[in-house]
């Protein structure tokens, strides 16, 4: 029988993916909107990336502005504010491996939410946007399931 996770209602959450340019900033924005005053939420990537305009467009459809997001690596987050998170949610395999390495020196729980990378989808603009919408919808569903226990939220 698996041991229950220590952090049921974390106070600080870090979302992580490969470049911090699509999945993790989307997830961070979604969760922050649900708990604007009760959760500290940030995002990071394993490598430096550039904010993806399709991610900005899809989040704007939900009324969320991530256009000013500056992608950061784990190292930049650590230098800037420290890695004092109760929970790290990883969205890509390499981010998961990086987060597990960090647990050697920080006391954070790590959850792996495998999330497809919409940047690899080819097609016309609408087909590509739909791939990003699908990722956003999947993240929103996971976030609702994971954090609904913590109380009411707006989404």
């Amino acid at each position: 029988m698996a041991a229950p996770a220590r952090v049921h209602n974390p106070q600080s959450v870090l979302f992580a993916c490969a470049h911090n340019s699509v999945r993790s900033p989307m997830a961070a924005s979604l969760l922050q909107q649900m708990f604007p005053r009760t959760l500290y939420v940030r995002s990071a990537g394993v490598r430096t990336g550039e904010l993806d305009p399709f991610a900005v467009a899809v989040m704007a459809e939900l009324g969320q502005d991530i256009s000013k997001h500056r992608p950061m690596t784990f190292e930049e987050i650590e230098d800037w504010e420290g890695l004092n998170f109760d929970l790290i949610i990883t969205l890509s395999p390499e981010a998961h491996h990086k987060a597990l390495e960090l647990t050697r020196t920080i006391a954070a729980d790590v959850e792996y939410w495998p999330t497809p990378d919409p940047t690899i989808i080819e097609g016309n603009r609408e087909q590509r946007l739909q791939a990003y919408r699908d990722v956003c919808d999947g993240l929103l569903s996971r976030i609702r399931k994971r954090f609904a226990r913590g109380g009411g939220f707006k989404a």
Side-chain angles (χ1 to χ4, degrees):
M1 182 156 108
R6 291 188 318 257
V7 178
H8 294 289
N9 295 311
Q11 295 179 344
S12 58
V13 178
L14 177 67
F15 284 97
C17 64
H19 295 104
N20 191 220
S21 61
V22 178
R23 296 169 284 186
S24 56
M26 289 171 114
S29 181
L30 292 166
L31 183 59
Q32 189 66 62
Q33 184 183 22
M34 290 177 190
F35 298 99
R37 291 179 180 77
T38 57
L39 272 180
Y40 183 76
V41 182
R42 291 288 178 263
S43 63
V46 176
R47 294 182 306 283
T48 302
E50 290 189 26
L51 185 59
D52 188 297
F54 284 109
V56 173
V58 166
M59 294 307 290
E61 292 174 355
L62 298 176
Q64 296 188 32
D65 182 7
I66 64 168
S67 64
K68 293 181 180 33
H69 172 75
R70 184 176 79 77
M72 297 181 83
T73 64
F74 279 94
E75 290 76 19
E76 289 171 311
I77 288 275
E78 185 171 25
D79 290 346
W80 182 257
E81 61 186 77
L83 289 171
N84 301 315
F85 294 93
D86 298 324
L87 176 62
I88 301 172
I89 298 175
T90 60
L91 307 173
S92 70
E94 63 186 318
H96 189 66
H97 293 296
K98 177 71 172 178
L100 290 177
E101 283 177 30
L102 291 172
T103 62
R104 294 178 187 165
T105 57
I106 64 171
D109 283 330
V110 177
E111 293 180 14
Y112 179 41
W113 296 2
T115 305
D117 180 358
T119 65
I120 63 172
I121 301 301
E122 295 182 9
N124 64 34
R125 177 178 168 76
E126 186 55 36
Q127 291 167 325
R128 294 183 68 203
L129 277 170
Q130 189 57 50
Y132 284 72
R133 288 181 192 115
D134 292 345
V135 166
C136 186
D137 290 347
L139 289 168
L140 184 56
S141 176
R142 289 291 300 257
I143 288 167
R144 283 180 171 154
K145 286 177 189 166
R146 171 61 175 86
F147 293 95
R149 298 186 281 271
F153 59 83
K154 57 183 181 187

